[in-house]
Amino acid sequence: MDINEFRVRGKEMIDFIADYYENLDNMSPGSKVQPGYLYKLMPHEAPEDPESFEEIKSDIETKIMPGITHWQSGNFFGWYPSNNSFPSVLGDMVSFMFNTVGFSWICSPAATELETVVMDWLGKLIGLDKRFMAIKEDGTEGEGGGVIQGTASEAHIVAMIAAKEMKLEYLKMHGESDESICTSGYKLVAYFSDQTHSSGQKACNIIGCQARTIESDEQYRLTKEALQAAIKQDVEAGLLPFFVCATFGTTNTAAIDDISGIAEVAEAEKLWFHVDAAYAGASLVCPEFRPLARGIERADSFNFNPHKWMLTNFDCSALWVANAKYLVQSLSIHREYLPRVKNSTEFVKDYRDWQLPLGRRFRALKLWFVMRMYGASGIRAHIREHVRQAKWLEEQLVADGRFEIMAPVVFGLVVFRIKPGVFDASTSSLDDIVNSANAELVKCINSDGRVFLVGTKLRGVDVLRPAIGSSHGTSENTTRLLQVIQECSEIVIARFS
Ligand SMILES: *Cc1c(COP(=O)(O)O)cnc(C)c1O
C-alpha cells in the first residue's frame, strides 16, 4: 500500500468505523458463534501473494463481525465497561502515527514528558494527595509520580515488586544476613480479601510469595480487624507480612474496603499499601465520591483504569506511587544500549524503570485528548449520568416487587436477583431453585439478544450484575435493559414455579 492508497483507504476506514458506531444500537451486543467457528472459516496458511484491502474488509464483515461481542454498544452491560471515545481514538491515531518505543526520555522526549504532565493532571483531577505528584507545587521534583501501565493487573504486579524491595531493604537494615534475606521470599505474605481481583493472586504467583485471603464482612468489605487478626497469626508463625491490597469498588459488587483502617494497619506493620480502584477510581473525578475513598492519601500506590470508565481506549491503566525509590531500585537495569539523560538539571523519568516491559507505547496522547476535549466538567457529567441511571434501575427493580438488591448501588453497578419470596417457599430446595432461576435469567436475557450482561456468585448465591457505563449508551438503553429483565423474569419465574 503506497501513501496515496493509504490516504484513500484511511478515509474509508474512518467511514467504516463511523458507520459501525451509528448502527451499533441496532445490533445484538452478544455474539452467537460456537467455539472454534473461525478456524473452520479460515485458510490454514498465511497467503503467499498479497491480497487486497477489499478482500480483508469483506472478511471483517462476514467472518469477524459475527464473532464480536460489542463492548461499545449501549446495550452492553457485561463485566465492567471498556470505555472509548472519539477524542481518545484520535489521540491513539497520533500515537500509531509516531509509533515510538518510549522506554527512555531520549527515545522521544515528548512521550516521556507528556506522560509526566498528564499523570499529574489526572491525579489532581481525581483529588489525589500531593504526595503522588511527579512535580511539587514549588516546581521541584516529587518523590512519587504517576505512570501509565497496560492494565490494573500489571499495576498490581509492579506495586508488589516494589513492596518486596521495601521489605527486603528493611530486613537488611535490621541486621538480617544476606543468606536469610535470600531465602525469605517464600515467607513473604501478601493480604487480600476474598473479593480482591484475581490479579492479586496472579502477582503472588509471579513474585513467588504467599497470598493470604481474608474473609470479607457481610457487605463484602475487607476490615481492619480481620486484617490485623490474619497478620498476628502469620507473624506468630514466623512469616513476613509485606503487602496489602485494599479495593475501592470490587469486581463482584463494587464494595469499598475499610481503606483508612487498612492504612493504619499497613503503617503499624510496615506493609506496602496498594489501593486497587480499577473500575471505581474514575468516580473520584466527582468530589462527591471522594469521602468514600478516605485513606487513599496514605497508600503507597494507587491505581485506576481510565480504560474502564473514563472515556479512554484500552489500554490505559494509571498507577501512582508516593515514592518511586523502591520501584526504580528493583526494576532499573543498566545496559550501554539503554542511555539515560546524564547530569540533567531538569528531572525526567525513565519510565522503563516503572514497569515490566522495556518498550512502551505513547499512551499519554489519548489521555491528553480526552482530558482536553471533554474537560473536567464533561468527564464528571459522564460519570454522574451513569450513576443516575444505575439508581433509576435500582428504584425500578425495587418497585417491581419481584427483585432484591444484593449490594448497595453506589456507582454504575446494580447487583440484584429474583427474590426467594417469588417462588414456592414450602419446598426444601428453595435455595437451589432460586439459584437455578437466577442463573437461568442470565441465559434468558443473553439469548434474547437485545442486551448483554453477566452474573456472578456471592457466597454461593447467584446474582446478576449489569454495569452501566458505556460511552455510547443513553437512558434509553437502560430502559431497554429493565424491559428485558422484566420480560425474561416472567418466563423464568413461570418455569420454576
Ligand atoms: C477490572 C479489574 C481489574 C483488572 O483490570 P485489568 O486492567 O484488566 O487488569 C483489577 N481490579 C479490579 C477491582 C477490577 O474491577
Side-chain angles (χ1 to χ4, degrees):
M1 185 178 288
D2 65 16
I3 197 149
N4 289 321
E5 191 186 354
F6 177 69
R7 277 182 204 282
V8 175
R9 298 309 187 191
K11 282 164 195 156
E12 255 175 57
M13 191 54 96
I14 294 290
D15 275 336
F16 180 68
I17 294 170
D19 289 346
Y20 172 78
Y21 279 95
E22 253 172 13
N23 292 322
L24 202 46
D25 209 45
N26 307 319
M27 296 198 277
S28 184
S31 166
K32 298 266 190 286
V33 299
Q34 295 300 312
Y37 89 101
L38 194 57
Y39 187 75
K40 295 184 190 130
L41 295 176
M42 285 288 182
H44 295 159
E45 307 269 353
E48 181 62 27
D49 298 314
E51 294 185 46
S52 71
F53 175 77
E54 250 88 29
E55 285 167 294
I56 302 170
K57 197 167 161 217
S58 142
D59 279 351
I60 289 187
E61 279 166 5
T62 57
K63 299 192 172 104
I64 301 298
M65 206 61 100
I68 294 290
T69 304
H70 299 285
W71 282 68
Q72 299 314 315
S73 164
N75 301 317
F76 178 91
F77 300 95
W79 300 287
Y80 274 138
S82 166
N83 276 185
N84 75 355
S85 64
F86 297 124
S88 170
V89 170
L90 295 178
D92 235 0
M93 283 170 72
V94 181
S95 164
F96 294 142
M97 173 177 84
F98 293 130
N99 202 30
T100 57
V101 185
F103 47 84
S104 293
W105 180 85
I106 194 68
C107 295
S108 259
T112 293
E113 296 201 19
L114 186 65
E115 186 155 334
T116 307
V117 170
V118 296
M119 287 303 286
D120 272 7
W121 278 20
L122 184 60
K124 288 174 191 168
L125 192 62
I126 62 168
L128 216 52
D129 192 84
K130 51 181 185 296
R131 295 169 65 220
F132 296 101
M133 299 304 135
I135 299 164
K136 293 197 280 198
E137 277 157 356
D138 64 7
T140 60
E141 186 170 17
E143 290 182 329
V147 58
I148 303 178
Q149 305 278 327
T151 62
S153 304
E154 286 164 73
H156 218 144
I157 296 164
V158 162
M160 205 179 279
I161 290 171
K164 182 178 172 185
E165 183 75 18
M166 183 173 90
K167 188 71 185 187
L168 296 186
E169 188 179 279
Y170 177 85
L171 292 177
K172 204 177 281 180
M173 274 165 48
H174 286 75
E176 289 283 338
S177 68
D178 284 352
E179 197 187 347
S180 115
I181 290 168
C182 275
T183 54
S184 61
Y186 73 95
K187 283 197 208 161
L188 295 171
V189 191
Y191 295 85
F192 308 103
S193 89
D194 52 17
Q195 300 297 310
T196 303
H197 187 265
S198 56
S199 54
Q201 176 71 55
K202 196 184 252 190
C204 290
N205 293 359
I206 291 166
I207 304 261
C209 66
Q210 299 189 38
R212 180 79 61 248
T213 303
I214 301 167
E215 194 179 330
S216 55
D217 73 1
E218 74 290 344
Q219 292 211 50
Y220 309 105
R221 296 171 303 199
L222 176 59
T223 64
K224 175 185 168 180
E225 293 72 25
L227 174 63
Q228 266 169 334
I231 291 176
K232 185 162 179 282
Q233 211 175 28
D234 288 340
V235 170
E236 280 167 5
L239 300 177
L240 297 169
F242 80 112
F243 177 95
V244 60
C245 171
T247 307
F248 178 70
T250 58
T251 314
N252 262 336
T253 65
I256 300 167
D257 290 340
D258 174 11
I259 298 173
S260 291
I262 294 166
E264 257 172 59
V265 179
E267 279 159 22
E269 303 288 343
K270 303 199 162 45
L271 309 189
W272 181 282
F273 179 30
H274 179 64
V275 176
D276 175 4
Y279 159 67
S283 72
L284 300 175
V285 173
C286 307
E288 64 270 29
F289 288 97
R290 292 183 196 159
L292 300 174
R294 217 165 266 144
I296 62 171
E297 68 283 356
R298 294 159 75 180
D300 293 292
S301 50
F302 176 85
N303 167 238
F304 95 94
N305 286 352
H307 72 225
K308 271 189 170 160
W309 197 17
M310 214 196 88
L311 298 157
T312 311
N313 282 31
F314 190 83
D315 52 347
C316 182
S317 183
L319 171 69
W320 287 270
V321 288
N323 186 343
K325 174 184 153 185
Y326 297 107
L327 206 57
V328 173
Q329 214 164 282
S330 52
L331 295 178
S332 166
I333 294 174
H334 177 69
R335 292 289 183 271
E336 280 65 32
Y337 51 80
L338 300 174
R340 289 181 191 283
V341 186
K342 291 218 177 70
N343 305 322
S344 164
T345 48
E346 293 299 323
F347 41 83
V348 290
K349 312 279 183 207
D350 279 315
Y351 284 122
R352 65 181 158 97
D353 300 337
W354 295 50
Q355 64 171 17
L356 299 179
L358 176 67
R360 53 201 325 273
R361 303 209 298 119
F362 194 172
R363 287 177 291 218
L365 276 169
K366 58 188 170 188
L367 200 49
W368 190 48
F369 270 60
V370 166
M371 285 191 278
R372 293 183 70 182
M373 296 189 77
Y374 281 88
S377 60
I379 300 171
R380 282 188 205 114
H382 166 80
I383 299 287
R384 284 178 183 144
E385 174 55 19
H386 294 144
V387 177
R388 188 193 67 75
Q389 287 179 33
K391 301 247 188 222
W392 176 84
L393 181 64
E394 175 190 23
E395 276 167 28
Q396 299 299 312
L397 290 171
V398 170
D400 177 293
R402 292 173 292 180
F403 305 103
E404 65 179 327
I405 302 296
M406 303 297 283
V409 178
V410 180
F411 308 108
L413 185 72
V414 182
V415 186
F416 75 97
R417 66 169 178 169
I418 303 175
K419 61 187 185 189
V422 169
F423 303 95
D424 181 3
S426 65
T427 146
S428 59
S429 54
L430 181 63
D431 287 350
D432 291 342
I433 290 175
V434 178
N435 271 346
S436 304
N438 280 289
E440 195 60 30
L441 181 56
V442 175
K443 284 191 200 148
C444 180
I445 290 169
N446 290 339
S447 64
D448 171 277
R450 279 174 287 171
V451 298
F452 180 90
L453 52 69
V454 296
T456 186
K457 264 186 191 288
L458 300 176
R459 304 217 165 101
V461 173
D462 278 273
V463 298
L464 292 83
R465 56 174 298 298
I468 295 165
S470 166
S471 336
H472 306 277
T474 66
S475 54
E476 274 172 45
N477 299 100
T478 305
T479 305
R480 187 175 306 159
L481 169 66
L482 174 67
Q483 201 180 342
V484 180
I485 290 170
Q486 287 174 322
E487 287 174 26
C488 288
S489 294
E490 201 150 319
I491 298 169
V492 167
I493 291 167
R495 203 180 300 159
F496 282 84
S497 292

